[in-house]
Amino acid sequence: MPDNKRITVGILVGVLLVLAVCFVLRTKQGSLWPAARIKLDSGYHEVMGTFGRAVAVAMDKETAQKCTRAALEQIEMVDDLMSDYKQDSQISRLNRDAFKQPVKVDKDTFEVLQKSIEFSALTGGAFDVTVGPLVDVWRCAAEANSAPTEAELQKARAAVGYEKLILDANDLTVRFSVEAMRLDLGAIAKGYAIDKAVAAMQTAGAIGGMVDIGGDIRCFGAPPPGKDRWLIGVQDPEKTGDLLGAAEPLLVLKLTNAAIATSGDYRRFALIQGKKYSHIIDVGTGGAGSELSSVTIISSSATDADALATAVSVMGARKGLALIEKLPNTEAILIPSRRRKFFKTSGAEKHIEY
Ligand code: AMP
Ligand code: MG
């Protein structure tokens, strides 16, 4: 055989060999190319009085499905324990019985209460989950369309105060030292549920993901295919959109293994005789209102971001920014009620995409 024919045959045999190997690999592994990551979005579910969803990034569909399922299960678990609307939740049980006797709770409930007391101490009482009696006063006032009297607020305040909540870490029991005390975890439970959901997704094999409950969000690991980062919109308080936050965002944040939580009066408030009252209460005065229309906190933990966003709403811009500046890996973006400019902590800029 002439030399050039021999070369052609050699090339042909080589190509055939490569194709054969490829065919074997394809049938064995289902794909020739390095496996590509996939994204699965659970879609919005009604949870914790709002809407929640989980997005998982994984190497295959089954793992991604396992991850979003595990995330939603954790969110429901936290809601079942900590809702004050559900009569059989542990928080409702505490609200009924914890003055009469110490009540044993699950590790998760205990942990949230412990963290709540830590945040109360850190924020000089601005954050306080014993706010329940004041929440009730304001709820009744909204129903009656009549602002509460000073006497009503004073009476409720007598049953409020985190130092009246007594935890025993040895036997995981909780006790109230005043009878009318009521817990309300509305300012921290969503963040805690997000952290539990993220942990569950990581255990189930997610290489990346995002959990969103009512606009409080935590992202971790690999972004969705085709993206090089997780981008999260912060809602414009003046353009509220619908409950799923469809309005155009005011800011877009890039998050790497971080959480954001936003508190404000722009979505949840009471209208009493035409005047808008925030759902966030200053337990020091009993008053419902803030100089800030929106507070966004960025932190590595969603629990911390959630608690701090509520606390800074109460503390106001000056004290709130001073506190957040002191905390490691924590930033704040504040929008005053009469908006002319943002207030930001010194490290917030690095999270802002545009
Ligand atoms: P968030 O939207 O996270 O700021 O939580 C607001 C909810 O937390 C309110 O609807 C109340 O149920 C509760 N809350 C109100 N004021 C406070 C406060 N000062 N500290 C802790 N929780 C509060
Ligand atoms: Mg909060």
Side-chain angles (χ1 to χ4, degrees), residues 35-40 55-67 201 204-209 222-223 225:
R37 62 188 198 266
I38 62 132
K39 172 187 124 172
L40 185 76
V55 176
V57 178
M59 299 312 284
D60 60 81
K61 198 169 155 209
E62 290 72 45
T63 308
Q65 275 168 339
K66 215 167 81 186
C67 293
M201 286 216 280
I207 58 165

Side-chain angles (χ1 to χ4, degrees), residues 158-215:
V160 174
Y162 68 95
E163 66 291 342
K164 297 169 189 144
L165 172 64
I166 295 146
L167 306 185
D168 187 333
N170 291 321
D171 52 6
L172 298 187
T173 58
V174 180
R175 189 165 67 77
F176 295 171
S177 70
V178 279
E179 188 164 11
M181 177 171 247
R182 296 290 175 267
L183 297 175
D184 178 332
L185 298 190
I188 192 169
K190 284 202 272 296
Y192 187 77
I194 292 172
D195 285 336
K196 292 292 283 188
V198 164
M201 286 216 280
Q202 287 169 331
T203 306
I207 58 165
M210 184 202 75
V211 179
D212 169 356
I213 307 181

